[in-house]
Amino acid sequence: MVQELLVAVVAALCVGALYLAAGARVVKQYEQGVLFRLGRVTGGVRQPGFNLVIPFADRLHKVNMQIVTLPVPAQEGITRDNVTVRVDAVVYFRVVDAVSALVKVEDYKFAVSQMAQTSLRSIIGKSDLDDLLSNREQLNQGLELMIDSPAVGWGVQVDRVEIKDVSLPDTMKRSMARQAEADRERRARIINADAEFQASKKLAEAAQQMEKTPTALQLRLLQTIVAVAAEKNSTLVLPFPVELLRFLERAQQPIPNGSAPYVPPDLAGLAELSDPAEPGHPDPSERRARAEEAPEAYGRQRPRSA
């Protein structure tokens, strides 16, 4: 009798242990449990920790309450200015109502993914290429609103949507590169022109200052020569008086028959004194006496008497 009683007690304990093992559920800290008893939601949401359910009658579904990172596959579309692009994005969302996420939508992750792809194509068609490249913050906000509006009824809250990359055709990339290069060249030319304008103003001021003191021009010329000579160049360029060039040019002109060569008045005396061996010229002492008697013919002035 006692033995049979002990066997019954042990059997009852084993059945109870099996019952507890079959009905014991553990909900993690980042999860919430939704209990379905005979197909109906009962008892509300089960909080994290140990939970006991009725075996074969209750089913406990765990819902992850963490933020889910969902990559949106690249979508190809045509922008409003008729440019074909491929855009991919990423969606950050989390479940705020576990019961609605299980009851109102079959698979909330798949639903959010499809809604994100559809909204991304719609954003591409409504935007220009410049907006996709430079005004992404506003597009992200618009895309977030388009995804979050239907997701609210599913117990899902969209925290953030980001456009990751915009892929352009190679021809468009080359066109944009040429445009950027042309714009930079335009700015470089404007800067150079502005620099030339400022330099010309400074040079004009320097010319006015040198006009008042002509010696400054000679000093500046000497400074330039010293600067060029310091570079150890084999060739040194020096300025040449224009008047001397004109004189040499006139000297090389052919002389008509029976006419004397043209000699400038200021160089007449120098021309007479330069060729003492030429026939017809008087003796040097005689020429000197003539120069003293008629100084105007030789480009000199007669010395004043004391």
Side-chain angles (χ1 to χ4, degrees), residues 46-242:
R46 299 298 178 93
Q47 297 299 324
F50 180 80
N51 292 270
L52 187 62
V53 299
I54 301 175
F56 310 110
D58 295 345
R59 290 186 178 274
L60 184 66
H61 292 268
K62 302 174 184 179
V63 180
N64 193 339
M65 306 300 291
Q66 291 177 318
I67 295 177
V68 181
T69 302
L70 180 65
V72 181
Q75 302 297 312
E76 186 172 354
I78 301 177
T79 61
R80 191 166 56 181
D81 50 354
N82 299 323
V83 179
T84 303
V85 295
R86 289 177 60 87
V87 182
D88 57 350
V90 59
V91 180
Y92 301 92
F93 70 93
R94 61 188 178 91
V95 177
V96 293
D97 189 354
V99 177
S100 298
L102 290 177
V103 175
K104 294 185 178 181
V105 63
E106 181 180 0
D107 187 352
Y108 65 90
K109 290 185 179 180
F110 181 74
V112 172
S113 176
Q114 294 300 314
M115 179 58 64
Q117 296 179 33
T118 306
S119 302
L120 184 57
R121 290 196 207 96
S122 178
I123 286 291
I124 293 173
K126 294 179 181 178
S127 305
D128 295 331
L129 179 61
D130 294 338
D131 294 335
L132 288 175
L133 296 176
S134 60
N135 197 13
R136 292 189 180 182
E137 190 65 29
Q138 185 176 358
L139 295 179
N140 292 336
Q141 295 177 1
L143 189 58
E144 180 180 346
L145 290 176
M146 295 179 66
I147 300 174
D148 191 51
S149 297
V152 172
W154 303 337
V156 177
Q157 178 181 352
V158 178
D159 290 341
R160 191 174 183 84
V161 181
E162 292 286 346
I163 295 177
K164 293 196 298 184
D165 188 22
V166 179
S167 300
L168 300 175
D170 294 337
T171 55
M172 181 58 64
K173 291 181 181 179
R174 289 193 293 267
S175 299
M176 294 177 65
R178 289 195 299 268
Q179 179 183 359
E181 184 179 357
D183 184 64
R184 289 184 178 275
E185 185 177 359
R186 177 183 63 84
R187 287 187 290 175
R189 290 183 178 180
I190 292 175
I191 293 174
N192 288 334
D194 190 17
E196 292 292 340
F197 176 71
Q198 295 179 6
S200 63
K201 291 177 64 177
K202 294 297 182 181
L203 289 175
E205 294 177 1
Q208 293 177 0
Q209 187 67 25
M210 289 182 180
E211 184 181 4
K212 299 178 182 178
T213 55
T215 311
L217 181 61
Q218 299 296 330
L219 295 176
R220 188 70 185 95
L221 176 60
L222 294 176
Q223 290 178 358
T224 305
I225 295 174
V226 171
V228 173
E231 297 180 0
K232 299 181 181 179
N233 294 329
S234 59
T235 304
L236 183 61
V237 179
L238 296 177
F240 207 69
V242 180

